[in-house]
């Protein structure tokens, strides 16, 4: 794959698609991991004398009502990016309009601008290729070259990710190169034992990856909300827990296939729950109850794996040579239900395995719970993109780039 090292960027306008999709509390950035991960490519381009124009998205604005969309503005991100780069970041208050045009026109070599949330223009995510193409053409006018570095969006067939690559000579940035290098280590010549930990909310989000990993992993540990569909499939009652009844046949088929292939499936033996979903804003105490998985009370919803499961999961990770973890073990956003996620993160830190954390919420959890990022082999910036790669799918944003 061609990277920015193969491009002559001095004096050129370089349009960069970055992933700056960070969690916000109002205008406060609660985890700047994706901004920091974007810095090496931007720095390199600036140092080499490029004029850098960054386009990126934030959240899922509807792209029709400016007032409703205001909370998805990239303005706070421009401020943080300037701090990290140690130089001003000019901010355009629209995507391709008058502000963007004036901002780009004013750029000198070695200067950088950020365009407003690209999803404020509905054409960005349109299913209509012509509509998307037209918008991509507008974006492409800002650049002599295109650099794709928004790994977290490469699984999207969006104008700024996919279509724009047709308009300009292009290459991948360092973040994409790094992420792909890591994913290769999880799919080719994998060091064994290869242990996968999956959690998060919905089992339906993760079925594709389980399907594929049944051919690759030696052991699969399941936590998070998806656990309850597995437990129900095994005949347990799960109270008021998150349950996707319609997925039970699929889950049963996976359990059968795992047995046939000698892949060890590890489910929690106990869970922590509560009679109500906890208040994630106030974090008010929620009277958690712990129960073995064969005795989950009917009025309880499971919100984390229990203490015995934490020990079990740590033991099942101890001998791994490669670990991939996607999805929190519980509702880690509330302190009463964060211990399972903390225990898995600690097991990765303690392990000598090559460990990869994938998934937006998992990566945020690791940092919010206070772990040192450097204690992990790699923390991916792209949850959906990593999962789709591991599912064996072709990622449009990568397929569109020149080789
Ligand atoms: P990632 O972004 O890392 O891929 P997901 O988006 O799949 O992870 O899931 C993250 C969410 O799953 C978190 O917000 C967490 O609160 C939620 N979650 C974890 N365990 C449960 C559970 N038992 N019940 C409901 N939600 C859960
Ligand atoms: Mg998520």
């Amino acid at each position: 794959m061609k990277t920015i090292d193969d491009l002559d960027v001095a004096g050129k306008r370089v349009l960069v698609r970055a992933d700056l999709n960070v969690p916000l509390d109002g205008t406060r950035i609660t985890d700047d991991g994706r901004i920091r991960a974007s810095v090496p490519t931007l720095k390199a381009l600036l140092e080499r004398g490029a004029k850098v124009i960054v386009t990126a998205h934030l959240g899922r604005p509807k792209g029709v009502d400016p007032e409703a969309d205001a909370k998805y503005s990239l303005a706070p991100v421009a401020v943080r990016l300037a701090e990290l780069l140690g130089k001003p970041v000019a901010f355009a208050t629209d995507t391709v309009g008058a502000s963007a045009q004036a901002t780009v026109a004013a750029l000198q070599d070695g200067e950088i601008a950020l365009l407003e949330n690209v999803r404020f223009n509905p054409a960005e995510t349109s299913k209509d290729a012509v509509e998307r193409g037209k918008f991509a053409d507008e974006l492409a006018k800002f650049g002599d070259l295109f650099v794709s570095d928004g790994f977290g969006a490469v699984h999207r067939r969006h104008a700024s990710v996919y279509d724009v690559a047709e308009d300009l000579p292009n290459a991948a940035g360092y973040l994409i190169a790094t992420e792909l290098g890591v994913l290769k280590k999880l799919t080719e010549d994998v060091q064994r034992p290869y242990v996968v930990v999956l959690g998060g909310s919905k089992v339906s989000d993760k079925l594709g990856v389980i399907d594929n990993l049944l051919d690759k992993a030696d052991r699969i540990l399941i936590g998070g909300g998806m656990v309850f569909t597995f437990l129900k499939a095994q005949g347990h009652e799960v109270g008021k827990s998150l349950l996707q009844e319609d997925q039970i046949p699929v889950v049963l088929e996976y359990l059968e296939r795992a047995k046939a292939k000698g892949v060890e499936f590890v489910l929690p033996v106990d869970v922590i729950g509560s009679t109500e979903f906890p208040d994630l804003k106030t974090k008010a105490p929620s009277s958690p109850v712990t129960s073995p998985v064969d005795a989950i009370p009917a009025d309880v919803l499971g919100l984390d794996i229990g203490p015995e499961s934490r020990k079990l999961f740590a033991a099942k990770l101890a001998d791994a040579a490669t670990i991939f973890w996607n999805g929190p073990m519980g509702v880690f956003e509330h302190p009463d239900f964060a211990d399972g996620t903390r225990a898995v993160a600690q097991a990765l830190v303690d392990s000598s395995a090559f460990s990869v954390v994938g998934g937006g919420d998992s990566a945020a959890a690791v940092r919010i719970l206070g772990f040192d990022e450097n204690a992990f082999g790699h923390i991916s910036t792209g949850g959906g993109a990593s999962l789709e790669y591991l599912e064996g799918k072709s990622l449009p944003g990568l397929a569109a780039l020149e080789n």
Side-chain angles (χ1 to χ4, degrees):
M1 167 163 285
K2 234 166 92 179
T3 73
I4 56 170
D5 293 338
D6 302 308
L7 296 178
D8 179 12
V9 301
K12 304 258 176 67
R13 297 173 307 151
V14 182
L15 178 70
V16 180
R17 176 48 156 106
D19 175 14
L20 304 174
N21 186 26
V22 289
L24 288 178
D25 181 5
T27 57
R28 192 177 63 87
I29 296 163
T30 53
D31 176 27
D32 68 356
R34 281 178 165 157
I35 308 178
R36 282 184 289 119
S38 303
V39 163
T41 293
L42 301 177
K43 254 205 168 121
L45 293 171
L46 292 167
E47 276 164 13
R48 286 160 54 191
K51 302 177 180 74
V52 177
I53 301 100
V54 183
T55 178
H57 76 280
L58 184 80
R60 296 185 176 199
K62 296 273 183 291
V64 281
D65 176 1
E67 255 163 63
D69 285 349
K71 64 176 181 195
Y72 297 104
S73 172
L74 278 170
V77 171
V79 174
R80 182 70 187 126
L81 183 58
E83 284 168 9
L84 291 166
L85 288 171
K87 63 160 56 200
V89 173
F91 183 65
T93 56
D94 55 26
T95 58
V96 291
S99 172
Q101 288 166 26
T103 307
V104 173
L107 277 186
Q108 303 295 314
D109 293 353
E111 291 184 352
I112 179 167
L114 173 63
L115 309 180
E116 183 55 287
N117 191 342
V118 69
R119 290 192 188 168
F120 282 2
N121 192 319
E124 164 69 0
T125 56
S126 172
K127 296 259 182 289
D128 179 347
V130 175
E131 195 184 343
R132 269 199 335 261
K134 276 190 190 145
F135 179 50
D137 294 347
E138 293 297 309
L139 281 171
K141 283 183 192 156
F142 294 144
D144 306 307
L145 301 167
F146 173 61
V147 168
S148 177
D149 207 30
F151 178 72
V154 288
H155 59 312
R156 306 283 185 205
R157 196 177 288 272
H158 291 169
S160 69
V161 178
Y162 175 77
D163 304 87
V164 74
E166 269 186 21
D167 289 338
L168 293 171
N170 58 67
Y174 293 142
L175 177 60
I176 283 193
T178 302
E179 295 273 10
L180 287 181
V182 166
L183 287 168
K184 286 229 161 74
K185 282 173 92 168
L186 297 178
T187 45
E188 294 164 23
D189 301 322
V190 187
Q191 298 294 304
R192 299 188 179 280
Y194 178 18
V195 184
V196 173
V197 192
L198 293 174
S201 45
K202 285 189 177 165
V203 73
S204 53
D205 290 347
K206 314 274 160 115
L207 287 174
V209 79
I210 297 176
D211 193 358
N212 214 275
L213 287 169
L214 279 172
D215 294 325
K216 305 225 162 63
D218 299 300
R219 197 179 287 149
I220 300 179
L221 282 49
I222 305 279
M226 61 197 270
V227 147
F228 302 98
T229 304
F230 279 88
L231 291 175
K232 184 79 180 184
Q234 293 190 324
H236 298 293
E237 289 308 321
V238 298
K240 296 196 290 181
S241 306
L242 198 68
L243 176 64
Q244 288 185 283
E245 294 259 18
D246 57 326
Q247 305 294 339
I248 287 177
V250 189
V251 159
L252 281 172
E253 200 249 316
Y254 287 167
L255 290 169
E256 280 303 312
R257 255 172 60 205
K259 204 181 267 169
K261 285 178 178 287
V263 176
E264 187 185 2
F265 243 95
V266 183
L267 293 176
V269 291
D270 55 356
V271 297
I272 304 176
S274 181
T275 52
E276 298 299 333
F277 197 87
D279 189 329
L280 302 183
K281 271 229 146 18
T282 63
K283 318 238 190 249
S286 65
S287 13
V289 284
T290 301
S291 29
V293 291
D294 54 7
I296 301 175
D299 61 344
V300 160
L301 65 157
L303 295 161
D304 195 9
I305 61 172
E308 291 306 317
S309 310
R310 296 201 291 265
K311 280 187 227 161
L312 174 68
F313 280 26
K316 294 290 182 187
L317 286 162
D319 67 343
T322 304
I323 302 173
F324 173 66
W325 173 28
N326 173 284
M329 295 294 99
V331 181
F332 72 94
E333 296 92 337
H334 191 287
D336 288 347
F337 309 104
D339 286 344
T341 302
R342 187 178 284 112
V344 165
Q346 188 62 50
L348 263 66
V349 168
D350 294 342
S351 157
S352 56
F354 174 63
S355 60
V356 179
V357 183
D361 291 291
S362 320
V366 159
R367 289 189 279 256
I368 290 164
L369 296 175
F371 287 90
D372 174 6
E373 287 172 83
N374 298 317
F376 301 87
H378 179 71
I379 299 185
S380 175
T381 55
S386 301
L387 287 180
E388 290 199 14
Y389 184 99
L390 293 177
E391 282 172 37
K393 289 189 185 160
S394 157
L395 306 179
L398 297 180
L401 298 180
E402 291 166 23
N403 283 309

